[in-house]
Short mmCIF file of all heavy atoms in Angstrom, two decimals:
data_model
loop_
_atom_site.label_atom_id
_atom_site.label_comp_id
_atom_site.label_asym_id
_atom_site.label_seq_id
_atom_site.Cartn_x
_atom_site.Cartn_y
_atom_site.Cartn_z
N GLY H 1 0.81 -1.19 0.00
CA GLY H 1 0.00 0.00 0.00
C GLY H 1 0.85 1.25 0.00
O GLY H 1 2.06 1.21 0.10
N GLN H 2 0.20 2.36 -0.12
CA GLN H 2 0.87 3.65 -0.15
C GLN H 2 1.21 4.10 1.27
O GLN H 2 0.41 3.97 2.18
CB GLN H 2 -0.02 4.68 -0.82
CG GLN H 2 0.66 6.02 -1.02
CD GLN H 2 -0.24 7.00 -1.76
OE1 GLN H 2 -1.40 6.73 -2.00
NE2 GLN H 2 0.31 8.13 -2.10
N ASP H 3 2.44 4.61 1.44
CA ASP H 3 2.85 5.13 2.74
C ASP H 3 2.09 6.41 3.05
O ASP H 3 1.80 7.21 2.17
CB ASP H 3 4.35 5.43 2.75
CG ASP H 3 5.18 4.16 2.71
OD1 ASP H 3 4.65 3.08 3.02
OD2 ASP H 3 6.35 4.27 2.35
N ARG H 4 1.79 6.61 4.31
CA ARG H 4 1.09 7.80 4.76
C ARG H 4 2.07 8.98 4.78
O ARG H 4 3.22 8.84 5.17
CB ARG H 4 0.56 7.56 6.18
CG ARG H 4 -0.29 8.65 6.72
CD ARG H 4 -0.78 8.24 8.11
NE ARG H 4 -1.27 9.33 8.88
CZ ARG H 4 -0.56 10.34 9.35
NH1 ARG H 4 0.70 10.41 9.11
NH2 ARG H 4 -1.13 11.28 10.06
N VAL H 5 1.61 10.15 4.36
CA VAL H 5 2.43 11.35 4.36
C VAL H 5 2.32 12.04 5.71
O VAL H 5 1.21 12.26 6.21
CB VAL H 5 1.99 12.31 3.23
CG1 VAL H 5 2.74 13.62 3.30
CG2 VAL H 5 2.16 11.65 1.87
N ALA H 6 3.45 12.37 6.31
CA ALA H 6 3.45 13.08 7.59
C ALA H 6 3.04 14.53 7.37
O ALA H 6 3.36 15.13 6.34
CB ALA H 6 4.83 13.03 8.22
N THR H 7 2.31 15.10 8.32
CA THR H 7 1.90 16.49 8.24
C THR H 7 2.64 17.31 9.30
O THR H 7 2.87 16.86 10.41
CB THR H 7 0.39 16.65 8.45
OG1 THR H 7 0.03 16.09 9.72
CG2 THR H 7 -0.39 15.95 7.35
N LEU H 8 3.03 18.51 8.92
CA LEU H 8 3.78 19.40 9.80
C LEU H 8 3.12 20.77 9.80
O LEU H 8 2.85 21.34 8.74
CB LEU H 8 5.22 19.54 9.30
CG LEU H 8 6.07 20.66 9.91
CD1 LEU H 8 6.39 20.34 11.37
CD2 LEU H 8 7.35 20.86 9.12
N LEU H 9 2.85 21.29 10.97
CA LEU H 9 2.37 22.66 11.14
C LEU H 9 3.51 23.47 11.74
O LEU H 9 4.09 23.08 12.76
CB LEU H 9 1.16 22.72 12.08
CG LEU H 9 0.66 24.11 12.44
CD1 LEU H 9 0.10 24.82 11.21
CD2 LEU H 9 -0.37 24.06 13.54
N SER H 10 3.86 24.58 11.10
CA SER H 10 4.97 25.39 11.58
C SER H 10 4.55 26.84 11.75
O SER H 10 3.77 27.36 10.97
CB SER H 10 6.14 25.32 10.60
OG SER H 10 7.21 26.14 11.05
N PHE H 11 5.09 27.47 12.79
CA PHE H 11 4.79 28.87 13.10
C PHE H 11 5.81 29.83 12.52
O PHE H 11 5.70 31.02 12.73
CB PHE H 11 4.78 29.08 14.62
CG PHE H 11 3.66 28.38 15.30
CD1 PHE H 11 3.78 27.05 15.64
CD2 PHE H 11 2.48 29.03 15.58
CE1 PHE H 11 2.75 26.39 16.29
CE2 PHE H 11 1.45 28.37 16.22
CZ PHE H 11 1.59 27.05 16.57
N GLN H 12 6.80 29.35 11.86
CA GLN H 12 7.80 30.24 11.30
C GLN H 12 8.40 29.59 10.07
O GLN H 12 8.36 28.39 9.92
CB GLN H 12 8.86 30.59 12.33
CG GLN H 12 9.47 29.43 13.06
CD GLN H 12 10.73 28.90 12.42
OE1 GLN H 12 11.32 29.56 11.60
NE2 GLN H 12 11.13 27.71 12.80
N PHE H 13 8.96 30.41 9.19
CA PHE H 13 9.47 29.93 7.93
C PHE H 13 10.98 30.11 7.88
O PHE H 13 11.47 31.21 7.71
CB PHE H 13 8.81 30.69 6.78
CG PHE H 13 7.32 30.77 6.93
CD1 PHE H 13 6.70 31.95 7.27
CD2 PHE H 13 6.54 29.64 6.76
CE1 PHE H 13 5.33 32.01 7.44
CE2 PHE H 13 5.17 29.69 6.92
CZ PHE H 13 4.57 30.89 7.26
N SER H 14 11.71 29.03 8.08
CA SER H 14 13.17 29.10 8.02
C SER H 14 13.67 28.03 7.06
O SER H 14 12.90 27.30 6.47
CB SER H 14 13.76 28.92 9.42
OG SER H 14 13.44 27.65 9.92
N GLY H 15 14.97 27.95 6.94
CA GLY H 15 15.58 27.05 5.98
C GLY H 15 15.22 25.59 6.16
O GLY H 15 15.17 24.83 5.18
N HIS H 16 14.94 25.17 7.39
CA HIS H 16 14.65 23.75 7.61
C HIS H 16 13.32 23.33 6.95
O HIS H 16 13.12 22.17 6.66
CB HIS H 16 14.63 23.41 9.09
CG HIS H 16 13.43 23.91 9.84
ND1 HIS H 16 13.33 25.20 10.31
CD2 HIS H 16 12.28 23.29 10.17
CE1 HIS H 16 12.16 25.34 10.91
NE2 HIS H 16 11.51 24.20 10.84
N ILE H 17 12.45 24.27 6.68
CA ILE H 17 11.16 23.96 6.07
C ILE H 17 11.36 23.35 4.68
O ILE H 17 10.69 22.39 4.31
CB ILE H 17 10.28 25.22 5.98
CG1 ILE H 17 9.98 25.76 7.38
CG2 ILE H 17 9.02 24.96 5.19
CD1 ILE H 17 9.33 24.77 8.32
N ILE H 18 12.28 23.90 3.91
CA ILE H 18 12.55 23.39 2.56
C ILE H 18 12.96 21.92 2.62
O ILE H 18 12.54 21.11 1.80
CB ILE H 18 13.63 24.24 1.85
CG1 ILE H 18 13.19 25.71 1.75
CG2 ILE H 18 13.95 23.67 0.47
CD1 ILE H 18 11.91 25.95 0.97
N GLY H 19 13.76 21.56 3.61
CA GLY H 19 14.17 20.16 3.77
C GLY H 19 13.00 19.24 4.04
O GLY H 19 12.93 18.14 3.49
N PHE H 20 12.09 19.69 4.88
CA PHE H 20 10.89 18.88 5.16
C PHE H 20 10.05 18.71 3.90
O PHE H 20 9.59 17.61 3.60
CB PHE H 20 10.04 19.52 6.26
CG PHE H 20 10.56 19.32 7.64
CD1 PHE H 20 10.96 20.40 8.42
CD2 PHE H 20 10.67 18.06 8.19
CE1 PHE H 20 11.43 20.22 9.70
CE2 PHE H 20 11.15 17.85 9.47
CZ PHE H 20 11.53 18.94 10.23
N ILE H 21 9.85 19.80 3.17
CA ILE H 21 9.05 19.73 1.94
C ILE H 21 9.72 18.80 0.93
O ILE H 21 9.06 17.97 0.31
CB ILE H 21 8.85 21.14 1.36
CG1 ILE H 21 7.98 21.97 2.32
CG2 ILE H 21 8.20 21.08 -0.02
CD1 ILE H 21 7.89 23.45 1.98
N SER H 22 11.05 18.91 0.79
CA SER H 22 11.79 18.04 -0.14
C SER H 22 11.68 16.58 0.24
O SER H 22 11.73 15.70 -0.62
CB SER H 22 13.27 18.45 -0.18
OG SER H 22 13.41 19.76 -0.66
N ALA H 23 11.52 16.32 1.55
CA ALA H 23 11.41 14.93 2.02
C ALA H 23 9.99 14.38 1.87
O ALA H 23 9.73 13.23 2.22
CB ALA H 23 11.83 14.85 3.48
N GLY H 24 9.08 15.21 1.35
CA GLY H 24 7.72 14.74 1.11
C GLY H 24 6.73 15.00 2.23
O GLY H 24 5.60 14.51 2.20
N VAL H 25 7.14 15.79 3.22
CA VAL H 25 6.23 16.12 4.32
C VAL H 25 5.17 17.09 3.82
O VAL H 25 5.46 18.01 3.06
CB VAL H 25 7.03 16.75 5.50
CG1 VAL H 25 6.11 17.30 6.56
CG2 VAL H 25 7.98 15.72 6.09
N SER H 26 3.95 16.88 4.24
CA SER H 26 2.86 17.80 3.91
C SER H 26 2.95 19.00 4.84
O SER H 26 2.55 18.93 6.01
CB SER H 26 1.51 17.09 4.07
OG SER H 26 0.45 18.01 3.85
N TYR H 27 3.51 20.09 4.35
CA TYR H 27 3.80 21.26 5.16
C TYR H 27 2.62 22.23 5.19
O TYR H 27 2.01 22.51 4.16
CB TYR H 27 5.04 21.98 4.61
CG TYR H 27 5.30 23.28 5.30
CD1 TYR H 27 5.90 23.30 6.55
CD2 TYR H 27 4.93 24.49 4.74
CE1 TYR H 27 6.12 24.49 7.23
CE2 TYR H 27 5.14 25.68 5.39
CZ TYR H 27 5.74 25.67 6.64
OH TYR H 27 5.94 26.85 7.29
N HIS H 28 2.31 22.75 6.38
CA HIS H 28 1.28 23.76 6.58
C HIS H 28 1.90 24.85 7.45
O HIS H 28 2.34 24.57 8.56
CB HIS H 28 0.06 23.17 7.30
CG HIS H 28 -0.54 22.02 6.57
ND1 HIS H 28 -1.62 22.16 5.73
CD2 HIS H 28 -0.19 20.72 6.54
CE1 HIS H 28 -1.91 20.98 5.22
NE2 HIS H 28 -1.06 20.08 5.69
N GLY H 29 1.95 26.07 6.95
CA GLY H 29 2.56 27.16 7.70
C GLY H 29 1.54 28.21 8.11
O GLY H 29 0.60 28.50 7.36
N ILE H 30 1.72 28.74 9.31
CA ILE H 30 0.85 29.82 9.77
C ILE H 30 1.71 30.93 10.37
O ILE H 30 2.82 30.69 10.86
CB ILE H 30 -0.18 29.35 10.82
CG1 ILE H 30 0.50 28.87 12.10
CG2 ILE H 30 -1.10 28.30 10.24
CD1 ILE H 30 -0.47 28.64 13.25
N ASP H 31 1.20 32.13 10.30
CA ASP H 31 1.85 33.27 10.95
C ASP H 31 0.82 34.37 11.09
O ASP H 31 -0.12 34.45 10.28
CB ASP H 31 3.04 33.77 10.12
CG ASP H 31 4.06 34.48 10.98
OD1 ASP H 31 3.69 35.51 11.61
OD2 ASP H 31 5.21 34.04 11.05
N ILE H 32 0.97 35.20 12.12
CA ILE H 32 0.06 36.32 12.28
C ILE H 32 0.58 37.57 11.58
O ILE H 32 -0.11 38.57 11.49
CB ILE H 32 -0.22 36.63 13.77
CG1 ILE H 32 1.08 36.91 14.52
CG2 ILE H 32 -0.99 35.47 14.41
CD1 ILE H 32 0.88 37.39 15.95
N ASP H 33 1.79 37.49 11.03
CA ASP H 33 2.42 38.60 10.33
C ASP H 33 2.35 38.36 8.82
O ASP H 33 2.96 37.43 8.31
CB ASP H 33 3.87 38.73 10.79
CG ASP H 33 4.57 39.95 10.23
OD1 ASP H 33 4.06 40.58 9.29
OD2 ASP H 33 5.66 40.28 10.74
N ASN H 34 1.62 39.22 8.13
CA ASN H 34 1.49 39.07 6.67
C ASN H 34 2.82 39.14 5.95
O ASN H 34 2.99 38.53 4.90
CB ASN H 34 0.55 40.14 6.10
CG ASN H 34 -0.88 39.69 6.10
OD1 ASN H 34 -1.17 38.50 5.93
ND2 ASN H 34 -1.80 40.61 6.28
N ARG H 35 3.78 39.87 6.51
CA ARG H 35 5.10 39.94 5.86
C ARG H 35 5.75 38.56 5.81
O ARG H 35 6.36 38.20 4.81
CB ARG H 35 6.01 40.92 6.60
CG ARG H 35 5.52 42.37 6.51
CD ARG H 35 6.34 43.27 7.39
NE ARG H 35 6.12 42.84 8.78
CZ ARG H 35 6.68 43.42 9.82
NH1 ARG H 35 7.50 44.43 9.67
NH2 ARG H 35 6.42 42.98 11.05
N ALA H 36 5.61 37.79 6.87
CA ALA H 36 6.18 36.44 6.90
C ALA H 36 5.49 35.54 5.87
O ALA H 36 6.15 34.73 5.21
CB ALA H 36 6.06 35.84 8.29
N ILE H 37 4.18 35.70 5.74
CA ILE H 37 3.44 34.92 4.75
C ILE H 37 3.95 35.24 3.34
O ILE H 37 4.22 34.34 2.54
CB ILE H 37 1.93 35.21 4.85
CG1 ILE H 37 1.38 34.83 6.23
CG2 ILE H 37 1.16 34.52 3.72
CD1 ILE H 37 1.45 33.36 6.56
N HIS H 38 4.10 36.53 3.04
CA HIS H 38 4.58 36.94 1.71
C HIS H 38 6.01 36.47 1.45
O HIS H 38 6.34 36.08 0.33
CB HIS H 38 4.45 38.45 1.55
CG HIS H 38 3.04 38.93 1.52
ND1 HIS H 38 2.14 38.56 0.53
CD2 HIS H 38 2.36 39.73 2.36
CE1 HIS H 38 0.97 39.11 0.77
NE2 HIS H 38 1.07 39.84 1.88
N GLN H 39 6.86 36.48 2.48
CA GLN H 39 8.23 35.98 2.33
C GLN H 39 8.23 34.49 2.02
O GLN H 39 9.00 34.03 1.17
CB GLN H 39 9.04 36.26 3.58
CG GLN H 39 9.38 37.71 3.78
CD GLN H 39 10.05 37.97 5.13
OE1 GLN H 39 10.15 37.08 5.97
NE2 GLN H 39 10.49 39.20 5.34
N ALA H 40 7.39 33.74 2.70
CA ALA H 40 7.32 32.29 2.45
C ALA H 40 6.85 32.02 1.03
O ALA H 40 7.42 31.18 0.33
CB ALA H 40 6.39 31.64 3.47
N ILE H 41 5.82 32.73 0.60
CA ILE H 41 5.31 32.55 -0.77
C ILE H 41 6.38 32.91 -1.79
O ILE H 41 6.56 32.22 -2.79
CB ILE H 41 4.01 33.37 -0.96
CG1 ILE H 41 2.89 32.77 -0.09
CG2 ILE H 41 3.62 33.42 -2.43
CD1 ILE H 41 1.65 33.64 0.01
N ALA H 42 7.12 34.00 -1.53
CA ALA H 42 8.19 34.42 -2.44
C ALA H 42 9.28 33.36 -2.56
O ALA H 42 9.94 33.25 -3.59
CB ALA H 42 8.78 35.74 -1.97
N LYS H 43 9.47 32.57 -1.51
CA LYS H 43 10.47 31.49 -1.53
C LYS H 43 9.91 30.20 -2.12
O LYS H 43 10.56 29.17 -2.12
CB LYS H 43 10.99 31.23 -0.11
CG LYS H 43 11.81 32.37 0.42
CD LYS H 43 12.31 32.06 1.82
CE LYS H 43 13.12 33.24 2.32
NZ LYS H 43 13.63 33.01 3.67
N GLY H 44 8.66 30.26 -2.58
CA GLY H 44 8.05 29.09 -3.21
C GLY H 44 7.35 28.15 -2.25
O GLY H 44 6.98 27.04 -2.62
N ILE H 45 7.19 28.57 -1.00
CA ILE H 45 6.51 27.73 -0.02
C ILE H 45 5.01 27.94 -0.17
O ILE H 45 4.51 29.06 -0.12
CB ILE H 45 6.97 28.07 1.41
CG1 ILE H 45 8.47 27.82 1.54
CG2 ILE H 45 6.19 27.26 2.43
CD1 ILE H 45 9.08 28.29 2.85
N LYS H 46 4.33 26.84 -0.36
CA LYS H 46 2.88 26.89 -0.55
C LYS H 46 2.19 26.47 0.74
O LYS H 46 2.81 26.02 1.68
CB LYS H 46 2.47 25.98 -1.69
CG LYS H 46 3.09 26.38 -3.00
CD LYS H 46 2.73 25.43 -4.10
CE LYS H 46 3.40 25.91 -5.37
NZ LYS H 46 3.66 24.85 -6.29
N ASN H 47 0.91 26.61 0.76
CA ASN H 47 0.08 26.19 1.90
C ASN H 47 0.44 26.95 3.17
O ASN H 47 0.67 26.36 4.22
CB ASN H 47 0.17 24.68 2.11
CG ASN H 47 -1.05 24.13 2.82
OD1 ASN H 47 -2.06 24.82 2.93
ND2 ASN H 47 -0.96 22.93 3.31
N VAL H 48 0.53 28.26 3.05
CA VAL H 48 0.75 29.13 4.21
C VAL H 48 -0.45 30.07 4.34
O VAL H 48 -1.09 30.41 3.35
CB VAL H 48 2.06 29.93 4.08
CG1 VAL H 48 3.26 29.02 4.11
CG2 VAL H 48 2.08 30.78 2.82
N ARG H 49 -0.74 30.44 5.57
CA ARG H 49 -1.89 31.32 5.78
C ARG H 49 -1.70 32.21 7.00
O ARG H 49 -0.97 31.87 7.92
CB ARG H 49 -3.18 30.53 5.89
CG ARG H 49 -3.18 29.54 7.03
CD ARG H 49 -4.38 28.64 6.97
NE ARG H 49 -4.15 27.48 7.82
CZ ARG H 49 -5.08 26.82 8.43
NH1 ARG H 49 -6.34 27.17 8.29
NH2 ARG H 49 -4.79 25.79 9.18
N ASN H 50 -2.38 33.31 6.96
CA ASN H 50 -2.36 34.28 8.05
C ASN H 50 -3.46 33.93 9.02
O ASN H 50 -4.63 34.18 8.76
CB ASN H 50 -2.55 35.69 7.47
CG ASN H 50 -2.54 36.74 8.54
OD1 ASN H 50 -3.55 36.96 9.19
ND2 ASN H 50 -1.42 37.37 8.73
N ILE H 51 -3.08 33.32 10.14
CA ILE H 51 -4.06 32.90 11.15
C ILE H 51 -3.33 32.76 12.49
O ILE H 51 -2.15 32.42 12.53
CB ILE H 51 -4.75 31.57 10.76
CG1 ILE H 51 -5.91 31.25 11.70
CG2 ILE H 51 -3.76 30.44 10.68
CD1 ILE H 51 -6.77 30.06 11.25
N ASP H 52 -4.02 33.04 13.56
CA ASP H 52 -3.50 32.83 14.89
C ASP H 52 -3.66 31.36 15.27
O ASP H 52 -4.65 30.73 14.90
CB ASP H 52 -4.27 33.71 15.88
CG ASP H 52 -3.64 33.71 17.27
OD1 ASP H 52 -3.84 32.70 17.99
OD2 ASP H 52 -2.98 34.69 17.61
N PHE H 53 -2.71 30.83 16.00
CA PHE H 53 -2.77 29.43 16.42
C PHE H 53 -4.10 29.09 17.09
O PHE H 53 -4.67 28.03 16.87
CB PHE H 53 -1.60 29.13 17.37
CG PHE H 53 -1.67 27.77 17.99
CD1 PHE H 53 -1.32 26.64 17.25
CD2 PHE H 53 -2.09 27.60 19.29
CE1 PHE H 53 -1.38 25.38 17.81
CE2 PHE H 53 -2.15 26.34 19.87
CZ PHE H 53 -1.79 25.23 19.12
N PHE H 54 -4.61 29.99 17.90
CA PHE H 54 -5.84 29.74 18.64
C PHE H 54 -7.09 29.75 17.76
O PHE H 54 -8.17 29.37 18.20
CB PHE H 54 -5.99 30.74 19.78
CG PHE H 54 -4.90 30.60 20.80
CD1 PHE H 54 -3.87 31.53 20.87
CD2 PHE H 54 -4.87 29.52 21.68
CE1 PHE H 54 -2.85 31.40 21.80
CE2 PHE H 54 -3.85 29.38 22.61
CZ PHE H 54 -2.85 30.32 22.67
N ASP H 55 -6.93 30.17 16.50
CA ASP H 55 -8.06 30.20 15.57
C ASP H 55 -8.07 29.01 14.61
O ASP H 55 -8.95 28.92 13.75
CB ASP H 55 -8.04 31.51 14.76
CG ASP H 55 -8.28 32.72 15.66
OD1 ASP H 55 -9.02 32.59 16.66
OD2 ASP H 55 -7.71 33.79 15.37
N ILE H 56 -7.12 28.12 14.74
CA ILE H 56 -7.08 26.92 13.89
C ILE H 56 -8.26 26.03 14.28
O ILE H 56 -8.44 25.72 15.46
CB ILE H 56 -5.76 26.16 14.06
CG1 ILE H 56 -4.59 27.03 13.60
CG2 ILE H 56 -5.79 24.84 13.29
CD1 ILE H 56 -3.24 26.42 13.89
N PRO H 57 -9.06 25.61 13.31
CA PRO H 57 -10.18 24.71 13.64
C PRO H 57 -9.70 23.43 14.33
O PRO H 57 -8.68 22.86 13.97
CB PRO H 57 -10.78 24.40 12.27
CG PRO H 57 -10.35 25.52 11.38
CD PRO H 57 -9.00 25.93 11.89
N LEU H 58 -10.44 23.00 15.32
CA LEU H 58 -10.07 21.81 16.09
C LEU H 58 -10.04 20.55 15.22
O LEU H 58 -9.39 19.57 15.58
CB LEU H 58 -11.02 21.61 17.26
CG LEU H 58 -10.96 22.69 18.34
CD1 LEU H 58 -12.03 22.44 19.40
CD2 LEU H 58 -9.59 22.74 18.97
N GLU H 59 -10.73 20.57 14.10
CA GLU H 59 -10.76 19.40 13.21
C GLU H 59 -9.42 19.18 12.51
O GLU H 59 -9.16 18.10 12.01
CB GLU H 59 -11.85 19.56 12.14
CG GLU H 59 -13.25 19.74 12.68
CD GLU H 59 -13.54 21.18 13.12
OE1 GLU H 59 -13.04 22.13 12.50
OE2 GLU H 59 -14.25 21.35 14.12
N GLU H 60 -8.60 20.22 12.42
CA GLU H 60 -7.30 20.09 11.75
C GLU H 60 -6.35 19.31 12.65
O GLU H 60 -6.18 19.63 13.82
CB GLU H 60 -6.72 21.46 11.42
CG GLU H 60 -7.52 22.18 10.36
CD GLU H 60 -6.86 23.47 9.92
OE1 GLU H 60 -5.63 23.62 10.08
OE2 GLU H 60 -7.58 24.34 9.40
N LYS H 61 -5.72 18.31 12.10
CA LYS H 61 -4.79 17.45 12.84
C LYS H 61 -3.44 17.44 12.15
O LYS H 61 -3.36 17.43 10.92
CB LYS H 61 -5.33 16.02 12.93
CG LYS H 61 -6.73 15.90 13.50
CD LYS H 61 -6.77 16.26 14.95
CE LYS H 61 -8.19 16.08 15.48
NZ LYS H 61 -8.46 16.81 16.67
N TYR H 62 -2.37 17.45 12.94
CA TYR H 62 -1.01 17.44 12.42
C TYR H 62 -0.18 16.42 13.20
O TYR H 62 -0.39 16.23 14.39
CB TYR H 62 -0.38 18.84 12.54
CG TYR H 62 -1.18 19.87 11.81
CD1 TYR H 62 -2.14 20.64 12.46
CD2 TYR H 62 -1.01 20.06 10.44
CE1 TYR H 62 -2.90 21.57 11.77
CE2 TYR H 62 -1.75 20.99 9.75
CZ TYR H 62 -2.69 21.75 10.41
OH TYR H 62 -3.44 22.66 9.72
N ASP H 63 0.78 15.80 12.53
CA ASP H 63 1.67 14.86 13.20
C ASP H 63 2.71 15.59 14.05
O ASP H 63 3.09 15.12 15.11
CB ASP H 63 2.39 13.98 12.17
CG ASP H 63 1.41 13.10 11.40
OD1 ASP H 63 0.58 12.44 12.06
OD2 ASP H 63 1.48 13.08 10.16
N VAL H 64 3.18 16.72 13.54
CA VAL H 64 4.22 17.49 14.22
C VAL H 64 3.83 18.96 14.19
O VAL H 64 3.36 19.46 13.17
CB VAL H 64 5.60 17.31 13.54
CG1 VAL H 64 6.66 18.17 14.20
CG2 VAL H 64 6.01 15.85 13.52
N ILE H 65 4.03 19.64 15.32
CA ILE H 65 3.84 21.10 15.38
C ILE H 65 5.18 21.70 15.78
O ILE H 65 5.74 21.35 16.82
CB ILE H 65 2.74 21.49 16.38
CG1 ILE H 65 1.40 20.91 15.91
CG2 ILE H 65 2.66 23.00 16.51
CD1 ILE H 65 0.26 21.16 16.86
N CYS H 66 5.69 22.60 14.95
CA CYS H 66 6.99 23.22 15.18
C CYS H 66 6.78 24.70 15.50
O CYS H 66 6.21 25.44 14.71
CB CYS H 66 7.85 23.06 13.94
SG CYS H 66 9.48 23.79 14.08
N ALA H 67 7.23 25.13 16.67
CA ALA H 67 7.09 26.53 17.09
C ALA H 67 8.45 27.07 17.52
O ALA H 67 8.57 27.67 18.58
CB ALA H 67 6.06 26.63 18.21
N SER H 68 9.45 26.88 16.70
CA SER H 68 10.81 27.31 17.03
C SER H 68 10.91 28.82 17.09
O SER H 68 10.45 29.52 16.19
CB SER H 68 11.75 26.76 15.96
OG SER H 68 13.05 27.20 16.17
N GLN H 69 11.49 29.33 18.13
CA GLN H 69 11.76 30.76 18.33
C GLN H 69 10.50 31.61 18.27
O GLN H 69 10.51 32.73 17.79
CB GLN H 69 12.79 31.25 17.31
CG GLN H 69 14.11 30.53 17.41
CD GLN H 69 15.12 31.06 16.44
OE1 GLN H 69 14.96 32.09 15.82
NE2 GLN H 69 16.22 30.33 16.30
N VAL H 70 9.40 31.09 18.77
CA VAL H 70 8.13 31.83 18.75
C VAL H 70 7.95 32.64 20.01
O VAL H 70 7.57 33.81 19.97
CB VAL H 70 6.94 30.88 18.55
CG1 VAL H 70 5.61 31.61 18.71
CG2 VAL H 70 7.02 30.23 17.17
N LEU H 71 8.21 32.07 21.17
CA LEU H 71 7.93 32.74 22.43
C LEU H 71 8.72 34.04 22.61
O LEU H 71 8.20 35.00 23.14
CB LEU H 71 8.21 31.81 23.60
CG LEU H 71 7.28 30.61 23.71
CD1 LEU H 71 7.69 29.73 24.88
CD2 LEU H 71 5.83 31.05 23.86
N GLU H 72 9.96 34.06 22.15
CA GLU H 72 10.75 35.27 22.34
C GLU H 72 10.37 36.39 21.39
O GLU H 72 10.85 37.50 21.51
CB GLU H 72 12.25 34.99 22.26
CG GLU H 72 12.72 34.43 20.94
CD GLU H 72 12.75 32.91 20.91
OE1 GLU H 72 12.01 32.26 21.65
OE2 GLU H 72 13.54 32.36 20.14
N HIS H 73 9.48 36.13 20.45
CA HIS H 73 9.02 37.18 19.54
C HIS H 73 7.72 37.70 20.04
O HIS H 73 7.11 38.55 19.59
CB HIS H 73 8.89 36.64 18.12
CG HIS H 73 10.21 36.29 17.52
ND1 HIS H 73 11.09 37.21 17.03
CD2 HIS H 73 10.82 35.10 17.36
CE1 HIS H 73 12.16 36.62 16.59
NE2 HIS H 73 12.03 35.33 16.77
#
């Protein structure tokens, strides 16, 4: 059968995201800053949106949630 694709939700867009996408991870990015969203899109990262973490519908499920360097911002 077909292997299941891992899903990743990330709060920031850094170089490690490209590696995850290249490895076949289903990447989902969020940020409350539109500038970060536009930067991610400019780098070719798809499936990003401007939303607060607390506004994500409870039905959405992810295997991994990455919030690197979020609290200090």
Side-chain angles (χ1 to χ4, degrees):
Q2 185 177 8
D3 291 341
R4 186 178 163 293
V5 174
T7 58
L8 167 69
L9 174 67
S10 178
F11 293 84
Q12 50 93 15
F13 312 108
S14 63
H16 74 277
I17 298 304
I18 301 300
F20 282 117
I21 294 170
S22 297
V25 171
S26 175
Y27 174 78
H28 302 263
I30 64 170
D31 205 300
I32 57 173
D33 186 346
N34 271 327
R35 294 173 296 181
I37 300 295
H38 293 297
Q39 289 173 353
I41 292 169
K43 292 180 181 180
I45 299 173
K46 299 177 180 153
N47 205 14
V48 294
R49 60 189 163 151
N50 180 278
I51 189 172
D52 189 283
F53 173 77
F54 296 106
D55 295 327
I56 297 173
L58 294 176
E59 301 81 35
E60 292 187 22
K61 306 292 182 201
Y62 301 95
D63 296 311
V64 177
I65 297 176
C66 180
S68 176
Q69 300 182 12
V70 172
L71 293 178
E72 61 267 26
H73 293 283

